[in-house]
Amino acid sequence: AQSVSQHNHHVILSEAASLELGCNYSYGGTVNLFWYVQYPGQHLQLLLKYFSGDPLVKGIKGFEAEFIKSKFSFNLRKPSVQWSDTAEYFCAVNSGYQLIWGAGTKLIIKP
Amino acid sequence: KAGVTQTPRYLIKTRGQQVTLSCSPISGHRSVSWYQQTPGQGLQFLFEYFSETQRNKGNFPGRFSGRQFSNSRSEMNVSTLELGDSALYLCASSRSAGGDTGELFFGEGSRLTVL
């Protein structure tokens, strides 16, 4: 069965630190890739997406992600995090007719 | 434009009861997906409806059911509630069948507590 793995369930960083959240998927065919974010008390929202083209995609709030097909990965990055980035981040992969979700990574930024 | 609206936002039930949750998608969106979110399991896909037809179903028991109306509004029902059904139930809408583009718009959820 297709699966999505997010390696870190909890990440704690200080403000201004660099961030990289891992996401790996198991499907070998054509995929669409997504990162969603859920800020405390808010609804899930799309952070960025990759369908095709440049494997480095930029999203809102300074986030970016790189699709590496050979590694089945779509890691999320941000050069310098802020306290307001505290949230839960979900990676999702569309391999056909359904989105497959990772378990999520809770990110806590210490002021 | 208005976002995805879920009602009720909070509810408390006891074991054995049943519950109905409602979701109004963004205007023009024909697909509604339902998810169960719990701290330990993350987001678990329940089902998706598109143009009043169930398109996909996740791995949940038959106690979980849903439907979609002609105006795209959707309801999900859980019968014979169990303690383990306590969760945040999320609804997401999209213009096309959700899995095709993956771009979902989520509501704030209905938080169900089963005592």
Side-chain angles (χ1 to χ4, degrees):
Chain A
Q2 298 148 18
S3 64
V4 176
S5 298
Q6 292 183 241
H7 314 298
N8 308 101
H9 295 294
H10 293 88
V11 173
I12 302 175
L13 294 173
S14 298
E15 276 194 313
S18 64
L19 169 72
E20 181 160 4
L21 301 182
C23 173
N24 286 88
Y25 60 94
S26 62
Y27 185 67
T30 301
V31 292
N32 296 330
L33 301 156
F34 307 84
W35 278 96
Y36 281 80
V37 60
Q38 187 173 31
Y39 296 103
Q42 296 187 29
H43 60 274
L44 269 165
Q45 56 186 288
L46 182 67
L47 194 57
L48 49 77
K49 61 185 178 184
Y50 172 80
F51 284 178
S52 64
D54 189 344
L56 183 64
V57 293
K58 296 191 184 299
I60 60 173
K61 303 187 179 186
F63 285 91
E64 64 180 31
E66 185 175 13
F67 170 51
I68 303 179
K69 189 174 181 179
S70 61
K71 294 184 178 180
F72 299 92
S73 71
F74 190 55
N75 293 353
L76 180 70
R77 301 195 294 246
K78 186 171 183 179
S80 177
V81 295
Q82 301 172 306
W83 176 79
S84 58
D85 294 325
T86 294
E88 189 161 14
Y89 294 81
F90 294 90
C91 179
V93 177
N94 168 21
S95 62
Y97 60 89
Q98 185 184 127
L99 274 179
I100 310 296
W101 293 80
T105 297
K106 287 189 176 177
L107 174 65
I108 296 173
I109 306 300
K110 298 184 295 183
Chain B
K1 57 183 175 182
V4 177
T5 304
Q6 291 188 244
T7 57
R9 290 289 315 281
Y10 302 91
L11 65 166
I12 299 173
K13 294 284 187 179
T14 57
R15 279 183 299 173
Q17 287 186 310
Q18 67 93 27
V19 66
T20 299
L21 309 178
S22 178
C23 173
S24 294
I26 291 172
S27 177
H29 286 192
R30 294 165 61 191
S31 168
V32 173
S33 301
W34 288 90
Y35 290 86
Q36 182 193 67
Q37 186 179 19
T38 57
Q41 300 293 321
L43 275 165
Q44 302 291 311
F45 173 74
L46 281 155
F47 27 67
E48 179 192 5
Y49 287 87
F50 183 78
S51 294
E52 301 179 67
T53 301
Q54 187 179 87
R55 193 166 177 268
N56 293 304
K57 190 176 190 303
N59 189 27
F60 276 81
R63 300 185 296 106
F64 292 81
S65 63
R67 59 179 175 169
Q68 187 179 34
F69 303 96
S70 58
N71 62 358
S72 294
R73 190 177 70 86
S74 177
E75 289 181 347
M76 68 162 282
N77 185 277
V78 188
S79 62
T80 319
L81 284 166
E82 301 176 359
L83 294 178
D85 297 333
S86 294
L88 182 66
Y89 290 87
L90 294 172
C91 167
S93 77
S94 62
R95 192 172 298 277
S96 59
D100 292 348
T101 68
E103 196 160 355
L104 303 177
F105 295 82
F106 283 84
E108 294 184 326
S110 293
R111 184 165 295 281
L112 170 65
T113 301
V114 181
L115 302 177

